[in-house]
Amino acid sequence: MTQPYPGMEPQQYSPLPPAYGAQLPPQPPPTAYFGATAVAAATLASVIGLVSTIGFVVAVLRMVGHPSSSRLLSNGIVGTADLAIAALTVAGAIGLFKRSPAGRICVLVGSSLAVLDIVVFMIVGLGSSFVRKSAPPTLQMTFPSGFLWLIVPVAALVLAAHRATGAWLLPKTPPMPYHPGW
């Protein structure tokens, strides 16, 4: 028998279907990625987006309520940061729910910005206590609430970066059809 192409060997097909003893071609092992990490990361990103949207609205209301205030610049910076965090995390959550790899990147960047925002908030609260020589009520609330709130974006970061999330976002290939060969 002549080979149609060099290096190709003829394939062996069984005349019997698999129920009668023929062997099926090897199948890839089943994966256990059901998207739990991606859905959890998307849910946490939605929470971060909601809280950041509320923070943005509060910053805008402060700027509108006191336009000549000395805190106009700081409220503008906080509002801009909250808007960026909200936009990234909400877009990322929607992307993760739709199984888009771009959603994963948005959640990673938005959660990283949220971690940075919280750390800066805690450092500013600590700095204000040194300026005033006493612990103001804001500092007493800054550190416990800051550390508790830090759990959410860190958890979203870890879940979005987990390899199970990446595996769940990979494009799925359709199963190979069975060709009995007869």
Side-chain angles (χ1 to χ4, degrees), residues 69-92:
S69 173
S70 63
R71 295 184 182 181
L72 188 64
L73 179 63
S74 64
N75 283 331
I77 292 171
V78 168
T80 304
D82 283 342
L83 180 63
I85 292 168
L88 283 168
T89 54
V90 168

Side-chain angles (χ1 to χ4, degrees), residues 55-69:
F56 170 72
V57 169
V58 168
V60 168
L61 290 176
R62 285 183 180 171
M63 289 189 317
V64 170
H66 305 288
S68 62
S69 173

Side-chain angles (χ1 to χ4, degrees), residues 17-70:
Y20 297 104
Q23 292 183 355
L24 287 174
Q27 299 291 326
T31 59
Y33 300 118
F34 299 113
T37 57
V39 170
T43 303
L44 290 173
S46 300
V47 171
I48 296 167
L50 176 67
V51 171
S52 295
T53 302
I54 292 170
F56 170 72
V57 169
V58 168
V60 168
L61 290 176
R62 285 183 180 171
M63 289 189 317
V64 170
H66 305 288
S68 62
S69 173
S70 63

Side-chain angles (χ1 to χ4, degrees), residues 101-116:
R104 181 184 190 190
I105 294 169
C106 287
V107 169
L108 289 170
V109 173
S111 297
S112 299
L113 285 175
V115 168
L116 181 66

Side-chain angles (χ1 to χ4, degrees), residues 71 119-143:
R71 295 184 182 181
V119 168
V120 167
F121 174 71
M122 291 182 351
I123 290 172
V124 167
L126 183 63
S128 70
S129 70
F130 288 125
V131 170
R132 294 184 186 153
K133 304 286 186 210
S134 66
T138 56
L139 180 63
Q140 294 169 0
M141 294 183 331
T142 300
F143 271 89

